[in-house]
Amino acid sequence: MRTGPSQDEIRRQNLGALLRHVHVHGATTRAELTNTLGLNRSTIGALTADLAAAGLVVEGAPKETGRAGRPSLVVRPESARVFAYACSIEVDRLRAARVGLGGAVLDRRELDRPRGLSAAEVAPLLAGAVKEMRHALPADAVCVGAGVAVCGMVRRDDGLVRLGPTTGWVDEPIGTTLGSELGVDVPVLVGNVAEVAAFAEHARGAAAGCDNVIYLYGDVGVGAGIIAGGRRLTGHGGYSGEVGHMVVVPDGARCECGNRGCWETEIGEHALLRAAGRSDARGRDAVLAVFDAADNGDARAQTAVRQAGDWLGFGVANLVNIFNPEMVIFGGTMRDLYLAAAAQIRSRLNCNGLPACLEHVRLRTPKLGADAPLIGAAELAFERLLADPLDIG
């Protein structure tokens, strides 16, 4: 009968904890690792030696501190050598990046995406971008996996996109399809774009240190990544966060999901362009043009922005009342709407939010900017390595 974990299991757990700390926090001295991880100096020394031998970290002398005594060695992630591929499938563009251990974006590609492309049409385009980046790889580079961020409902177990209303996808196995196109023997993991962006911002962005966070992402539609108690809230099948489909106007405008009166029909791309008298336009550039017109005094554009901002505040108040977050982050086109209508949003939030839930909530834009989905997609791929660093290929 087993009484506890074996010595090897404990060692692997400690290796993962040390590598995760360096991956998230960057260069760290052995002394800091000793204090943070609660392990003695000899154990930290042995663990860093194992990770260095595996090519995952490198140790070196710190910069001159001016202090007396022998300085503690600094442990850094091998960012240039160990990496993951990250892809972001958005309504109007496709992005691919090579992200190093430690979260640095080392290389990137971006392509326009005509609306209506199927997963079978998207996969070769992304694979082509990834293959271009391979030409610049160091000779000893190691790919630990690939992650994909996609707008849509993603089944947690296998990455199947069950429904992508804004892309027209239904039951698309994008991870399997992209993996076949890439021709690499590494897992391709798939996550909802808002969820993985929340993951990234919580780990190393605006929400670092916050255990309860909502990340709102806008494109044509709207979704949320939710961190509750320091953990991602994914739901039973992985479909949580579809906040854009909260019904706020019964019998309202038809949504692309097939329902009526969803929140995104009041704050999404179509709603803003329609209210601004630009129903024939579409795409991110058209949305940004409405914000520019409002800044330049266009009365109809200003009305459209105020109206969308009011509805954004309305929905955020509901989410704040339900989840009691410390922070709400506005990403994608929600960032632009927040910056254009912050006063309106805060006014509606203060009007509809419960006072106790509003006491500590902060409204922010992403620290990682537009890279949050890419970095978050890479984090999906790094998770297997961080769980067992000695399993690196």
Side-chain angles (χ1 to χ4, degrees):
M1 181 185 227
R2 291 190 62 180
T3 58
S6 67
Q7 288 298 313
D8 184 64
E9 289 171 334
I10 293 173
R11 172 171 164 267
R12 286 175 180 271
Q13 289 171 4
N14 288 336
L15 285 167
L18 194 157
L19 185 61
R20 185 179 297 274
H21 184 91
V22 174
H23 170 63
V24 172
H25 299 285
T28 308
T29 66
R30 280 194 185 185
E32 291 169 330
L33 289 169
T34 298
N35 292 331
T36 301
L37 301 181
L39 301 171
N40 61 46
R41 290 193 302 174
S42 61
T43 299
I44 291 293
L47 293 174
T48 55
D50 286 345
L51 293 174
L56 297 172
V57 302
V58 61
E59 290 189 283
K63 295 179 180 178
E64 187 63 42
T65 62
R67 296 179 181 176
R70 183 179 177 182
S72 179
L73 291 174
V74 175
V75 183
R76 296 179 175 84
E78 277 277 29
S79 299
R81 176 179 180 270
V82 182
F83 71 94
Y85 287 117
C87 299
S88 181
I89 301 173
E90 299 158 34
V91 176
D92 292 315
R93 65 178 177 177
L94 303 172
R95 294 188 292 156
R98 183 164 63 91
V99 181
L101 186 66
V105 177
L106 305 173
D107 198 357
R108 68 175 75 224
R109 298 290 187 277
E110 181 172 327
L111 304 167
D112 290 334
R113 179 197 176 195
R115 294 190 179 182
L117 291 186
S118 67
E121 294 169 312
V122 164
L125 297 175
L126 285 172
V130 168
K131 290 171 183 177
E132 281 185 19
M133 290 188 286
R134 284 185 193 163
H135 297 312
L137 286 178
D140 63 344
V142 176
C143 176
V144 299
V148 182
V150 61
C151 296
M153 299 175 67
V154 179
R155 189 161 66 191
R156 181 178 57 213
D157 291 342
D158 58 6
L160 183 76
V161 180
R162 295 296 307 278
L163 177 66
T166 59
T167 59
W169 290 6
V170 177
D171 291 338
E172 290 279 13
I174 183 61
T176 302
T177 305
L178 181 57
S180 297
E181 289 286 344
L182 288 175
V184 293
D185 187 24
V186 294
V188 179
L189 303 175
V190 185
N192 172 272
V193 63
E195 181 191 338
V196 302
F199 188 16
E201 288 289 340
H202 178 243
R204 60 179 75 252
C210 295
D211 282 341
N212 297 279
V213 181
I214 295 173
Y215 183 105
L216 284 176
Y217 179 86
D219 205 320
V220 172
V222 179
I226 301 168
I227 306 292
R231 303 180 68 176
R232 287 180 289 163
L233 185 64
T234 61
H236 175 68
Y239 311 130
S240 71
E242 291 297 325
V243 298
H245 300 290
M246 293 189 298
V247 175
V248 296
V249 184
D251 299 321
R254 176 73 69 180
C255 179
E256 293 187 10
C257 74
N259 211 338
R260 286 189 176 275
C262 294
W263 188 29
E264 67 182 49
T265 66
E266 301 295 338
I267 62 174
E269 173 188 304
H270 299 318
L272 185 69
L273 294 174
R274 182 176 63 250
R278 306 180 183 207
S279 297
D280 292 337
R282 67 178 188 176
R284 180 176 175 81
D285 288 344
V287 170
L288 296 179
V290 173
F291 296 130
D292 288 340
D295 285 342
N296 291 323
D298 184 307
R300 190 163 185 181
Q302 289 174 338
T303 299
V305 171
R306 282 196 303 269
Q307 180 177 304
D310 189 56
W311 275 112
L312 180 54
F314 179 92
V316 168
N318 286 335
L319 295 175
V320 166
N321 290 343
I322 294 168
F323 292 104
N324 185 208
E326 301 161 73
M327 184 178 292
V328 178
I329 302 174
F330 299 90
T333 55
M334 290 300 99
R335 172 189 177 276
D336 304 296
L337 179 54
Y338 169 69
L339 293 175
Q344 192 77 28
I345 294 165
R346 175 58 79 173
S347 175
R348 175 57 68 181
L349 177 58
N350 289 338
C351 180
N352 288 24
L354 294 171
C357 293
L358 295 176
E359 285 178 349
H360 303 292
V361 69
R362 290 168 285 166
L363 307 183
R364 296 289 186 270
T365 57
K367 181 179 178 182
L368 301 176
D371 282 345
L374 287 171
I375 294 173
E379 292 294 343
L380 294 179
F382 282 127
E383 275 299 297
R384 185 172 69 106
L385 172 67
L386 298 176
D388 188 358
L390 298 188
D391 194 34
I392 185 172

